[in-house]
Amino acid sequence: MASFAKESQFTSLAVSLMVETASYACIAAGTLGPQASWDRNMAAVGGTVVRQYKLLDAFLDQICKDRDETAVLIARPLFETTVNIRFFIKNFSADLIDSYVQKSLQHERKLRDKLKANILARSGVVLPIEDRMLNSIERAERVAGIPLDHVNPSDKRPWGNKNLFEKAKDVGLADAYSGFFGGPSHNIHGNWHEIYSNHLDWNEATNSFTPKTAWKRPRPQTVTSLALVVADTLKIYFEFIGGDELSSHFEPKLDDLRNRVFSLVDAHEAYLARKKWPAI
């Protein structure tokens, strides 16, 4: 890596390491543990791990297409998903999963109540689309295992009684929160910072702007940082789902992966140290 002359070489290597990380995430996503299927509580955790794998796949797709703008959009929910996995495992209980499920059901409760009010105003006449929607809502209620009448649609508390930053802090990811969630809010919402950075060319001399339709090339930092967070989380999950047997098998492999990612990070920082703004 000391001979690398272009940042794209570091990005290419970062992608290879993230592909390796995603391969372990794929294994985790298909690992059931000691049982042939999950109950709802375990399914909340396992399903979130499956979501993590799919988001990793989508993230890599956009990185490999040199589309940093959309890769960042995926990195944000990927980080949130990773925080949720850790929070689930650290605080695992039926009450926590109930809280998680109930929060999700607030939308269904509001929608069901609205549909029933519309039907009542029509003297009980149910439109075909309403019948389909009510059946879908009823199915969601059965899957959740919580009656909709027990869901308070006005409850503003976050599930687990912690917002995402508090969850991240609880699982040791408070420092990563700003880079992966706080900052990328610009990208999610299309704030001015994101617009001028990614979608406009600024002529400083005339203080004027023109459209920038070309995609922004990804840099290695987001890829390597996510790889480290995900690899650490997979270690936690393998121990949670498979105990010492899985942990003893995967932990050394994931530690080796992390060491190689750190080596890349150090080499890239040394490369940047030789550059001056705006070349960095």
Side-chain angles (χ1 to χ4, degrees), residues 76-88:
R76 190 176 191 253
L78 176 53
F79 175 75
E80 180 175 7
T81 298
T82 302
V83 169
N84 288 346
I85 293 168
R86 292 201 191 189
F87 190 78
F88 279 141

Side-chain angles (χ1 to χ4, degrees), residues 60-249:
L60 279 166
D61 176 75
Q62 294 304 292
I63 290 290
C64 291
K65 289 178 179 176
D66 281 343
R67 294 180 173 181
D68 185 71
E69 296 90 332
T70 43
V72 172
L73 296 180
I74 299 168
R76 190 176 191 253
L78 176 53
F79 175 75
E80 180 175 7
T81 298
T82 302
V83 169
N84 288 346
I85 293 168
R86 292 201 191 189
F87 190 78
F88 279 141
I89 293 173
K90 181 180 178 183
N91 304 283
F92 188 70
S93 70
D95 286 343
L96 177 66
I97 304 303
D98 278 346
S99 171
Y100 171 71
V101 172
Q102 284 180 327
K103 191 65 181 178
S104 175
L105 285 176
Q106 284 183 321
H107 172 74
E108 278 67 27
R109 170 65 192 271
K110 292 176 183 177
L111 182 58
R112 186 204 67 176
D113 291 352
K114 178 66 174 176
L115 289 169
K116 286 189 172 183
N118 290 343
I119 292 168
L120 182 63
R122 231 182 278 118
S123 301
V125 176
V126 182
L127 301 178
I129 188 173
E130 292 172 330
D131 182 60
R132 295 194 301 270
M133 293 173 71
L134 286 169
N135 283 329
S136 178
I137 292 170
E138 182 184 350
R139 183 177 187 274
E141 182 180 26
R142 294 198 310 272
V143 171
I146 296 176
L148 280 183
D149 289 334
H150 293 180
V151 175
N152 180 0
S154 301
D155 189 350
K156 303 299 183 184
R157 293 174 299 173
W159 67 269
N161 291 317
K162 293 181 186 293
N163 60 34
L164 186 66
F165 174 74
E166 292 167 334
K167 289 183 175 78
K169 184 177 180 180
D170 184 64
V171 299
L173 291 175
D175 290 342
Y177 175 91
S178 178
F180 284 118
F181 200 85
S185 290
H186 290 305
N187 303 68
I188 293 291
H189 302 295
N191 293 346
W192 168 246
H193 178 82
E194 195 266 341
I195 296 299
Y196 90 76
S197 296
N198 295 332
H199 310 298
L200 294 170
D201 281 315
W202 177 42
N203 185 322
E204 188 170 2
T206 61
N207 194 26
S208 60
F209 302 87
T210 53
K212 180 166 63 178
T213 57
W215 291 91
K216 184 177 179 180
R217 177 178 293 176
R219 303 187 70 188
Q221 292 96 322
T222 301
V223 182
T224 53
S225 298
L226 266 178
L228 291 169
V229 170
V230 171
D232 280 341
T233 303
L234 290 173
K235 287 169 58 177
I236 295 169
Y237 181 71
F238 280 127
E239 182 176 8
F240 172 76
I241 199 71
D244 290 341
E245 182 179 2
L246 283 186
S247 180
S248 62
H249 178 77

